[in-house]
Amino acid sequence: MPSRYLSPSSEDRIRQPVEDVEECTCPTSSSPDYPKELQFLTNPCEKCFCPAPPPKISDLMNDKDLLDLLRLKLDPNHCTIKNWKNFASRWGMSYDELTLLEHRTQGSLSHSPTQEFLLRYNQKTVTELTELCRIYQRIDVLRLLQSWIEKDWPSRWQHTQSI
């Protein structure tokens, strides 16, 4: 038998149509940088069906309602409840910086020490912030952040991708 019958020539092959698809640039849940805690984010972008990336603190700063709730929970100064000072100290803010920030925002309705702390660390992920909530047993703040990550963040991210 001639070898031509065993291996078809390229002219005899059926070709599949190739769609002109842009390559996805979204991070995927299989990425090593993608935290396991956030792999439940399955709301894909329209273009590539990849899940929303882990949000950064800068992303939650755009949500005024969430920011107001965080301020209400973390601004008050109680001796037995961990607040923004503990979080900031854990991330490396010195005692002098904490004191300066506290005095600068004291009595101001427009400036919050929590908001200033979050602005300073706005490139950290919200997951890192939830870790602080676990460390300091701030379950109320943890639940608030987890709810925002699950419910609000995927749609906010999708909206920013469509602009």
Side-chain angles (χ1 to χ4, degrees):
M1 217 191 277
S3 64
R4 182 176 186 282
Y5 291 108
L6 296 175
S7 58
S9 69
S10 62
E11 297 164 0
D12 297 333
R13 291 185 184 162
I14 298 173
R15 294 196 175 119
Q16 296 291 326
V18 178
E19 293 180 29
D20 188 22
V21 178
E22 283 186 38
E23 190 172 312
C24 170
T25 58
C26 300
T28 63
S29 59
S30 63
S31 167
D33 296 337
Y34 200 82
K36 288 181 177 138
E37 302 88 47
L38 297 181
Q39 288 184 4
F40 60 84
L41 293 177
T42 56
N43 193 358
C45 75
E46 291 173 10
K47 179 171 70 176
C48 60
F49 300 107
C50 294
K56 293 191 178 211
I57 290 175
S58 59
D59 297 315
L60 73 77
M61 297 296 285
N62 296 324
D63 188 331
K64 187 180 178 332
D65 294 334
L66 176 64
L67 203 51
D68 287 343
L69 289 170
L70 289 173
R71 290 168 60 171
L72 286 172
K73 291 178 179 297
L74 293 173
D75 277 1
N77 198 5
H78 298 289
C79 60
T80 58
I81 300 174
K82 305 298 184 186
N83 63 9
W84 69 272
K85 282 186 197 177
N86 303 96
F87 286 39
S89 176
R90 182 74 177 211
W91 278 351
M93 236 188 224
S94 70
Y95 177 79
D96 291 340
E97 291 172 305
L98 293 170
T99 305
L100 179 65
L101 182 57
E102 186 173 33
H103 286 290
R104 198 171 53 188
T105 57
Q106 199 168 29
S108 173
L109 296 176
S110 60
H111 288 89
S112 150
T114 300
Q115 186 173 350
E116 294 293 324
F117 151 69
L118 291 172
L119 275 171
R120 178 167 177 166
Y121 295 102
N122 70 358
Q123 289 307 307
K124 288 190 174 278
T125 65
V126 178
T127 304
E128 291 174 278
L129 186 57
T130 62
E131 281 305 309
L132 288 181
C133 294
R134 283 188 184 96
I135 290 167
Y136 291 115
Q137 299 176 356
R138 287 302 307 262
I139 305 306
D140 57 333
V141 180
L142 177 64
R143 286 187 181 142
L144 179 67
L145 291 171
Q146 285 176 332
S147 174
W148 183 82
I149 290 170
E150 291 173 25
K151 296 176 185 166
D152 296 339
W153 169 240
S155 60
R156 284 179 171 275
W157 179 77
Q158 194 171 19
H159 178 73
T160 61
Q161 297 304 305
S162 63
I163 294 176

